Amino acid sequence: MRAVLPLCLLGALRHEESYGYALLQQLTAAGLESVKPATLYPALNRLAEDGAVEVHWRAGEGGPGRKCYRITQVGRERLDAEWSAWENFGASVSRLLTGPVPASSPPGATAPPGAPAAHPAPTAIPDPVGARPLGAGPHGSGPADMRPTDAQQPGMST
């Protein structure tokens, strides 16, 4: 989670500035409820040290001031680069999950004309518990659906 958190924070800040607690709420609403303040604030401080976000104080509404975070141009460039890398990573994982990838093929290589596809992608992989296609989890997630349940673990009985 820690390596992805800066990308998520930059994404959350790309449209408007925010403060720590509101960012934590956004992450939780997006399904990242495992992020705690002890992880969030050091990540925001590192982003500020790297010049990806700027920090300023804003008067509080009926209370103390708030430390606000705003994405910078450096942060926008970092967001673009890391987002692209994340999409490439996801595509690579998807290729591995949808079928065998020949070890001799470089990434993105295609078969010669007329040759059969090396790894046709299935349209759906049945879920042993139900009939959901791969990636159609309870919250629209993918990898979480692929973790075996206790009943599917070797040596476990129900």
Side-chain angles (χ1 to χ4, degrees):
M1 171 69 68
R2 195 179 305 206
V4 179
L5 184 56
L7 172 62
C8 295
L9 291 170
L10 292 172
L13 292 168
R14 77 182 180 276
H15 295 296
E16 64 183 358
E17 69 179 37
S18 191
Y19 57 97
Y21 182 73
L23 288 166
L24 200 57
Q25 289 178 317
Q26 275 188 276
L27 294 171
T28 299
L32 301 174
E33 54 275 333
S34 64
V35 178
K36 304 294 181 222
T39 306
L40 175 78
Y41 290 103
L44 286 167
N45 289 335
R46 281 189 297 277
L47 287 170
E49 290 169 5
D50 294 345
V53 298
E54 59 185 25
V55 182
H56 66 94
W57 286 90
R58 186 168 58 185
E61 298 168 15
R66 291 187 172 150
K67 194 175 191 180
C68 289
Y69 302 88
R70 180 182 312 138
I71 193 168
T72 63
Q73 185 58 37
V74 169
R76 289 184 189 286
E77 291 166 5
R78 179 173 170 176
L79 174 61
D80 289 344
E82 290 185 12
W83 192 346
S84 177
W86 180 259
E87 287 178 327
N88 290 335
F89 175 75
S92 296
V93 171
S94 292
R95 280 192 298 276
L96 289 169
L97 295 175
T98 58
V101 177
S104 60
S105 298
T110 58
H119 50 85
T123 54
I125 299 173
D127 181 349
V129 178
R132 297 185 314 237
L134 179 65
H139 303 292
S141 61
D145 291 338
M146 296 168 36
R147 287 192 290 267
T149 63
D150 288 343
Q152 298 166 316
Q153 293 283 349
M156 302 288 277
S157 60
T158 55

